[in-house]
Amino acid sequence: MIVGEKLARSFGLSGEEYARVLEIMGRVPSLTELGVFSVMWSEHCSYKSSRVWLKTLPTTAPWVIHGPGENAGVVDIGEGLAAIFKMESHNHPSFIEPYQGAATGVGGILRDVFTMGARPIANLNALRFGDPSLARTKRVVDGVVRGIGGYGNCVGVPTVGGEINFHPAYNGNPLVNAMTVGIARADRIFLSAAAGVGNPVVYVGSKTGRDGIHGATMASTEFGQNSEDKRPTVQVGDPFVEKLLIEACLELMATDAIVAIQDMGAAGLTSSSVEMAGKGGVGLALDLDAVPQRETGMTAYEMMLSESQERMLIVLRPDRQELARAIFEKWELDFAVIGHLTDTGRIVVSHRGRVEADIPLAPLADQAPLYHRPYVDTPKRAALGEVADPVGIAAALTTLIGCPDLCSRAWVWDQYDSTIGGQTVKRPGAADAAIVRIDGSNRALALTTDCTPRYCLADPEAGAAQAVAEAWRNITATGARPLAITDNMNFGNPEKPEIMGQFAACVRGMAAACVALDFPVVSGNVSLYNETEGTGILPTPAIGGLGVIEDAGAAVGLALAPGLDLVLIGATQGWLGQSLWLREIGGREDGPPPPVDLAAERRNGDFVRARILAGEVAACHDVSDGGVLIAVAEMALAGGTGVQLSHLPAGAPHEFWFGEDQGRYVLAVIDAAAVMAAAAAAGVPAVLLGASALGDLTLPDGVAISLQGLRAAHERFFPAWMAPAT
Amino acid sequence: MKAIVTVMLKSGVLDPQGKAIGQALHGLGFPEVGEVRAGKVIELELNETDPARAKARAEEMARKLLANMVIESFRVEVA
Amino acid sequence: MKAGIVVFPGINRERDMAIALEGSSGRKPRMIWHRETDLSGLDLIVVPGGFSYGDYLRCGAMAAQSPVMAEIRAHVARGGYLMGVCNGFQILTEAGLLPGALLRNAGLRFLSMDCHLRVERNDTVFAGKYAAKQVFRAPMAHGDGNYFADDATLDRLEGEGLVAFRYVTPEGDMTAEANRNGSARGIAGIYAPGFRVMALMPHPEDLVDPLMGGTDGKPLFDGLAA
């Protein structure tokens, strides 16, 4: 292979970027060097299109220990403990090979968390798929769900929550965003900055093969007709080895042996070694002959770019090398000293007695491309105007509760081990956020993932603010205090000004919501170029939220019991723009999405949380997709309890029951009068909707909808869709 | 030399995987497919030159670990 | 009883088991790495759930060949108690300590949900704190829990009263729907003759705390605490 601009372009570098490589190197780079530059300067590793915008997000709060820039975000959760969490995409691999793509996505995010010293205690996932009527969508959903389960179940971390949306915009670009949450002692956090000239650089985990070469650059290019041909670059996961790696790393972390540690994720050995040395301001000499290899005849280029899974790079104290080796040998994992730190400020890679790469680290990082991409604002949508109700409330409820975006996800959850660890207080579907207790403590974490992409398409700024607000609301609805978020920014091709405009507006909306709700961003990931043949996905800034509740027993779920009053908190004007009612019943995605009043959001949420913690609330559910009646129906189905609705709205009934106004909750309480009085005193809008009772869900006009019929409609879609062909 | 161990579920044991494959093939327009059985193939590189001895050792491995004789049967080929 | 939990590479429910055992007995069980060979001083050995050796080849097949298994056999021969849960059940059948095998779930999908188990006899140390024919809830989480044995073996198990638990409806009835993994005769757990060895697929250890949704699993561990 002749190294030159043509090859550089095929590696994903632009002509201009290649010129900069020549300038830094002062000569034509070797193949391995070109490989290193191309992956380090890929969108995936360098954030070259998104960095200028991400810098504007709020990332600090008194409880934030480490914000973006480390492997994952770290927040103080009290009792000397820290929660470490991050969400990351594995979109492109999951389209090419759904099972392995999703599985290795889970594996990768787990490593980002345990590499910082945390034992992973929960996984979540935010998934977006294409039109369910396509056979391809079914194949992708089946493979992704099996892959997430296959990896998470084996590695022994409960999968406790997540979300699934369907939309034709994801036909060629499904999104698989995986989130892991771990717990560590706040004074035992491990970072990646290498230090100590002469210290050994150690490779542990699985052997290196030719998997996933150029995965990081694949994750940064648009799909074309021939993307099926890219199959060989998808990596294969080994959750068994990952489990051993978790235990071995945590055992080593209990000693004082580690100076720095980082997992080998995208761009494998290249990114881990370059980032560790770069952050520490040291140099690095690597001897590739020492790298444990699964295949014979691998070149330096292949080893540096391999994305074989379940591998970590560690800088050790030299006097602890044998102690560390003994731990990894006990767990039957490879352990090899593959280099040492130097004071040269360069990464020097040798293989079979030859120097295959010799690159100055500072310019590799500092002169990485940074683009202020041109952008245009998304035009505002015209107001919706009046929309008549063609079917009536009862029929719309039955249709909506069974539609793919609102139907029961039990078919999916039932394939994920959600109870392992014995700390899952609220399993998937039992509460607005999953509640996982911390072993040995009375505290629990509240965890959720949220985004409403159709809102983001119609108005990226409002939509992204809504995503943050909904995550905050879902945590609040359990009684927990929201602490911080991780974001997974999934967008189309950033070289198109309208896509860049979506990105910029989403960041603005998120930032405003994060500030208003004291809910900073502590980690995140960007996935761009989610386009197939020019068709992009909906802008999808998926938000992973984390909160804490001091008394796990005080957390409430959404299941209704008989004999409670239902109180709606928050103002309702009956907003149908971009609602699911408009899409499923009205047959169109139209109008602006509901506005987000962040001050009202905060006030209403703080009020609801205070009521829950005062013990006044038996069940709580936020109002989101589908509106109030869907929220009530979901509470009724979860508890197997009917509801007698009595509230007669002033405006059109379908606007009241299915409008998607924000900042609202349905509370099931024993003493409605007291809650209403407290709401009035706090300036929080509250409406008594009705009461729970055994039997049907009865509308204010007396129309009764049997719970059994509703349940059948709710639970039909996934099992019927996935039933084997006969 | 190489030993190839083929492990199959015994004929009395229900094979839902085979059944699912059969159904999928019918759905894809292969109506001629009858019963389908799914098993696994394990290739062993053996440091051995005598085919009879290689076969005997591989059979011992199959009985001891590679197959579960409660539910599976196996066949060894040496090449 | 003084308890120990055997940990093979890939086992992942050992901590859940330790919490449940300690919750009933007040004593921390001993964690036994699979290369250890001294099991003296233990009354009860538990082989917990997980994916020993990644469930590669067959669930439990490689763990069943592990050195510690010889010691476990000796422990059983001495009259010690032995319990397997989930992967532990698979390992004990692969090791020949219990008859039959656990096949892929009939629906070919991993099943993670609560199931209901009927106590088939309560005159054993494992089930003594349950009422006869009591139905209790337990989470299950497995891909290969479909109990299989030939008819002669099944007849013998039933004839000798060796069936420990069956999958049933909340009302205690055996139905196809309640038997989600397709197990032969709805069998969820079995004893070896003598009733000192027992294994089951579901996870009573994950339902011993009201905060996690119930204490249905606790009587089993209370029985083992005495």
Side-chain angles (χ1 to χ4, degrees), chain A residues 142 238 332 414 416-417 421, chain C residues 13 16 35 56 109 112 114:
Chain A
D142 183 52
D238 185 345
E332 298 174 21
D414 287 353
Y416 301 153
D417 189 340
Chain C
R13 258 186 167 88
D16 309 37
R35 289 207 201 101
Y56 300 145
R109 288 187 187 275
S112 168
D114 283 351

Side-chain angles (χ1 to χ4, degrees), chain A residues 310-328:
Chain A
E310 293 91 22
R311 303 178 300 162
M312 315 280 279
L313 203 61
I314 308 176
V315 177
L316 285 175
R317 278 176 52 169
D319 56 338
R320 296 291 188 273
Q321 195 173 308
E322 291 317 304
L323 169 109
R325 184 190 301 276
I327 289 172
F328 284 89

Side-chain angles (χ1 to χ4, degrees), chain A residues 11 13 21 25 29-42 45 214 217 267 269-271 273-274 286 300-301 303-305 347 349 356-361 364:
Chain A
F11 283 9
L13 290 174
V21 172
M25 295 302 294
S30 70
L31 176 66
T32 305
E33 287 164 344
L34 183 65
V36 169
F37 273 99
S38 69
V39 295
M40 290 312 297
W41 289 3
S42 71
C45 292
H214 271 302
T217 50
L269 193 50
T270 293
S271 70
S273 58
V274 166
L286 290 182
Y301 169 82
M303 273 188 265
M304 289 304 287
L305 268 67
I347 177 168
V349 179
E356 295 284 351
D358 183 350
I359 304 172
L361 285 162
L364 179 58

Side-chain angles (χ1 to χ4, degrees), chain C residues 96-178:
Chain C
L97 283 158
L98 288 168
L102 283 310
L103 301 179
R104 184 70 50 90
N105 292 343
L108 297 178
R109 288 187 187 275
F110 193 91
L111 293 172
S112 168
M113 68 262 301
D114 283 351
C115 61
H116 288 87
L117 299 177
R118 190 174 70 201
V119 178
E120 295 298 287
R121 63 187 300 159
N122 71 338
D123 57 349
T124 73
V125 68
F126 299 98
K129 301 283 181 186
Y130 289 106
K133 299 294 172 188
Q134 183 178 337
V135 175
F136 69 99
R137 196 159 53 90
M140 62 177 179
H142 58 247
D144 300 73
N146 179 352
Y147 185 72
F148 170 87
D150 58 38
D151 283 334
T153 305
L154 293 170
D155 291 343
R156 180 177 65 79
L157 285 173
E158 292 187 327
E160 296 177 19
L162 296 174
V163 177
F165 307 105
R166 288 189 212 261
Y167 299 105
V168 292
T169 64
E171 295 74 36
D173 300 322
M174 288 177 62
T175 65
E177 207 176 328

